[in-house]
């Protein structure tokens, strides 16, 4: 039997109170964006459920898209049936019979949201179960570990049948928690941080620091490809590419070598904060994990954070590198991150960077040079690209520039 719709369950959204509709609207927008390649589908939502009406579209491809959408706890391919016992019996038979293989077992899991329906849950079990056992030779009941679990949900408008529950990505719909800037390098950590931030409902705009000729066009391409992976969640993502060569060279000339990394991170944070203001974001997200490298010690964070009062979110702060790598594999960014093209964070690295920099010392060193005009110039010269998922990109990469 061919399913005609997909029933979506909300998960954490269901715990929301008066603002639940706001979260449902964000989820509906995410679903519509993700399913834009399927023009015939229709998305309907209520306070308790959302439905994707297939209207002849390929359900298998749509299921793969839905698995990556934050805010969905689970979903089931389903059939809508009129509130009629005979229609329910016939549809249940057709669905189970289409899935049944010799020797398999089944059970029925009824949910009677509308108590006015003529059969209660026990009656649904007895009536539909008996009908299936009579008409499908070899079918047996197993209420513990059935091969086929026929879910029957009775609602006011109709009855919905399904036999499969597929886990969703969980979390909150992208955009329901506001907008933040993601400091996106070409490494392993920052794309994972962006993914986790989006899972908690943040709309992400990425900021990448580009230092030609010390970093190549291939490193830029690498970051765009990472952005494409993140764009698969929401349909598109803005990528702000910051020209950083002049600032990095000035830092190298003006700041003592062992403090150059601290000042570099401070300048990056100041620029990201300026972009955040222009884009009306509310926070900055980065891929820092406590103690992983010299710039990610608590002392370094204390010295670097001074340049902004904007909230800095660090989704990976307590994670081990092995756990971050595992998650990068799951979201399919690891291979891209491992491409051997340097980003600006890996050039001009001092041989002995300060792991416990003093805030007053870095202030003193920076006081000899006015970086503000360079920061403003870099912000003015930012290149902004709207990146879409791989399957929606133009075939010619050069057309992005």
């Amino acid at each position: 039997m061919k399913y005609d719709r997909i029933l979506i369950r909300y998960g954490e959204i269901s715990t929301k109170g008066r603002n639940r509709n706001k979260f449902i609207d964000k989820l509906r927008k995410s679903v519509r964006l993700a399913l834009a390649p399927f023009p015939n589908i229709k998305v309907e939502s209520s306070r308790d459920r959302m439905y994707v009406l297939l209207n002849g579209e390929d359900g298998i491809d749509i299921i793969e898209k839905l698995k990556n959408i934050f805010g969905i706890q689970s979903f089931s391919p389903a059939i809508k049936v009129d509130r009629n016992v005979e229609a329910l019996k016939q549809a249940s038979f057709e669905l189970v019979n289409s899935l049944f293989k010799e020797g398999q077992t089944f059970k029925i899991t009824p949910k009677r949201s509308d108590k006015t329906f003529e059969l209660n849950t026990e009656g649904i079990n007895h009536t539909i179960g008996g009908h299936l056992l009579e008409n499908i030779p070899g079918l047996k009941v197993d209420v513990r570990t059935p091969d086929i679990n026929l879910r029957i949900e009775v609602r006011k408008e109709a009855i919905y049948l399904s036999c499969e529950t597929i886990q969703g990505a969980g979390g909150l719909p992208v955009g329901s928690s506001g907008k933040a800037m993601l400091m996106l390098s070409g490494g392993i950590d920052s794309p994972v941080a962006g993914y986790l931030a989006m899972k908690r409902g943040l709309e992400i705009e990425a900021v990448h620091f580009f230092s030609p000729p010390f970093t190549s066009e291939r490193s830029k391409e690498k970051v765009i490809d990472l952005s494409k992976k993140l764009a698969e969640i929401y349909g598109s993502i803005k990528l702000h590419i910051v020209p950083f060569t002049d600032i990095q060279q000035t830092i190298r000339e003006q700041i003592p070598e062992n403090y150059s990394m601290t000042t570099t991170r401070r300048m990056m944070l100041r620029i990201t904060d300026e972009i955040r203001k222009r884009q009306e974001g509310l926070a900055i997200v980065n891929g820092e994990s406590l103690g992983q490298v010299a710039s990610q010690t608590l002392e370094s964070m204390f010295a670097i954070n001074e340049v902004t009062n904007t909230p800095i979110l660090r989704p990976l702060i307590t994670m081990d590198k092995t756990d971050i790598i595992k998650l990068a594999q799951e979201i399919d960014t690891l291979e891209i991150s491992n491409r051997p093209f340097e980003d600006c964070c890996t050039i001009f690295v001092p041989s002995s960077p300060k792991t416990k920099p003093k805030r007053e010392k870095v202030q003193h060193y920076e006081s000899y040079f006015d970086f503000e005009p360079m920061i403003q110039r870099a912000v003015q010269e930012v290149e902004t690209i709207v990146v879409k998922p791989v399957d929606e990109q133009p075939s010619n990469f050069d057309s992005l520039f």
Side-chain angles (χ1 to χ4, degrees):
M1 173 173 280
K2 191 173 183 180
Y3 294 105
D4 59 16
R5 69 196 58 225
I6 296 175
L7 182 154
I8 294 173
R9 303 176 186 87
Y10 294 144
E12 192 172 342
I13 295 177
S14 301
T15 66
K16 304 300 178 184
R18 294 179 180 177
N19 61 349
R20 182 190 292 192
N21 286 340
K22 167 193 164 186
F23 288 87
I24 292 172
D25 288 343
K26 291 290 186 181
L27 179 58
R28 184 168 57 243
K29 181 179 179 181
S30 292
V31 170
R32 284 175 173 160
L33 283 170
L35 301 185
F38 307 94
N40 295 323
I41 65 104
K42 184 178 180 183
V43 181
E44 296 179 351
S45 61
S46 67
R47 185 172 175 82
D48 301 313
R49 291 284 188 272
M50 188 173 293
Y51 300 94
V52 177
L53 308 183
L54 299 180
N55 293 324
E57 294 283 7
D58 188 338
I60 294 175
D61 289 343
I62 289 174
I63 285 170
E64 289 305 310
K65 293 281 189 182
L66 291 177
K67 287 179 181 178
N68 297 321
I69 299 175
F70 293 129
I72 297 177
Q73 179 191 34
S74 64
F75 57 94
S76 298
I79 300 167
K80 183 179 180 180
V81 180
D82 290 338
R83 290 166 46 92
N84 174 284
V85 173
E86 289 305 314
L88 176 58
K89 287 164 69 173
Q90 180 63 26
S92 298
F93 165 75
E94 291 177 2
L95 178 56
V96 174
N97 193 49
S98 69
L99 299 172
F100 175 69
K101 296 178 182 178
E102 187 65 35
Q104 286 189 326
T105 58
F106 87 110
K107 79 168 184 177
I108 295 174
T109 303
K111 183 177 180 181
R112 188 165 162 261
S113 300
D114 178 20
K115 307 301 182 185
T116 64
F117 186 62
E118 58 188 284
L119 297 177
N120 59 19
T121 53
E122 185 178 345
I124 292 172
N125 263 323
H126 180 76
T127 302
I128 304 304
H131 182 72
L132 296 177
L133 289 169
E134 288 176 10
N135 291 280
I136 303 178
L139 183 64
K140 296 180 181 179
V141 176
D142 183 347
V143 295
R144 293 178 180 269
T145 56
D147 299 302
I148 301 171
N149 183 5
L150 175 61
R151 298 179 181 273
I152 301 175
E153 183 172 354
V154 180
R155 301 183 68 83
K156 283 187 177 181
E157 73 281 3
I159 300 173
Y160 299 94
L161 306 181
S162 62
C163 285
E164 184 179 10
T165 299
I166 302 167
Q167 285 304 118
L172 295 173
V174 173
S176 61
S177 297
K179 183 194 291 185
M181 302 296 114
L182 170 65
M183 298 178 73
L184 183 64
S185 71
I188 295 172
D189 299 343
S190 54
V192 177
Y195 173 85
L196 293 176
M198 294 173 83
K199 187 171 185 177
R200 294 311 304 161
L202 282 176
E203 177 187 350
I204 291 297
E205 292 189 13
V207 179
H208 176 69
F209 293 87
F210 186 50
S211 296
F214 305 105
T215 56
S216 68
E217 287 293 322
R218 300 299 294 274
S219 72
K220 189 177 183 180
E221 178 182 350
K222 177 180 174 180
V223 170
I224 292 174
D225 286 345
L226 289 171
S227 299
K228 290 177 187 178
K229 286 295 179 183
L230 295 177
E232 290 176 3
I233 298 168
Y234 193 59
S236 67
I237 186 170
K238 279 186 181 178
L239 172 61
H240 305 282
I241 300 175
V242 180
F244 201 55
T245 308
D246 290 347
I247 294 176
Q248 274 199 284
Q249 287 181 314
T250 303
I251 291 171
R252 189 182 188 187
E253 295 166 1
Q254 298 290 333
I255 305 297
E257 185 183 30
N258 58 349
Y259 268 84
S260 62
M261 182 181 294
T262 305
T263 293
T264 298
R265 297 298 190 273
R266 284 163 63 96
M267 295 304 130
M268 287 178 169
L269 198 53
R270 288 173 65 178
I271 292 170
T272 302
D273 207 27
E274 288 297 319
I275 297 172
R276 174 199 64 79
K277 293 173 187 176
R278 293 180 174 221
Q279 300 301 119
E280 300 182 339
L282 298 174
I284 295 170
V285 178
N286 66 31
E288 291 178 344
S289 174
L290 189 60
Q292 187 178 134
V293 295
S295 64
Q296 295 176 20
T297 64
L298 202 56
E299 291 84 357
S300 287
M301 292 179 191
F302 182 74
I304 294 167
N305 279 23
E306 182 200 17
V307 300
T308 180
N309 291 321
T310 300
I312 300 176
L313 310 181
R314 299 176 171 91
L316 312 183
I317 193 68
T318 64
M319 292 179 66
D320 293 338
K321 190 68 174 185
T322 52
D323 296 327
I324 298 170
I325 290 172
K326 181 180 178 182
L327 191 47
Q329 288 176 316
E330 291 175 6
I331 66 174
D332 199 26
T333 58
L334 183 62
E335 184 179 345
I336 301 171
S337 295
N338 281 335
R339 293 177 190 170
F341 308 116
E342 289 187 323
D343 58 41
C344 69
C345 296
T346 59
I347 63 174
F348 304 155
V349 176
S351 56
S352 300
K354 275 285 184 183
T355 59
K356 296 182 179 181
K358 301 295 183 184
R359 182 182 279 186
E360 57 273 13
K361 280 195 174 184
V362 72
Q363 291 171 342
H364 174 72
Y365 295 140
E366 290 176 10
S367 69
Y368 288 101
F369 187 87
D370 185 8
F371 284 95
E372 184 61 25
M374 299 186 77
I375 288 172
Q376 293 303 321
R377 187 163 63 250
V379 172
Q380 291 291 338
E381 295 175 358
V382 164
E383 175 190 9
T384 298
I385 300 171
V386 178
V387 180
K388 295 186 177 181
V390 175
D391 56 2
E392 297 179 36
Q393 290 291 332
S395 58
N396 185 358
F397 174 81
D398 293 334
S399 65
L400 291 171
F401 300 101

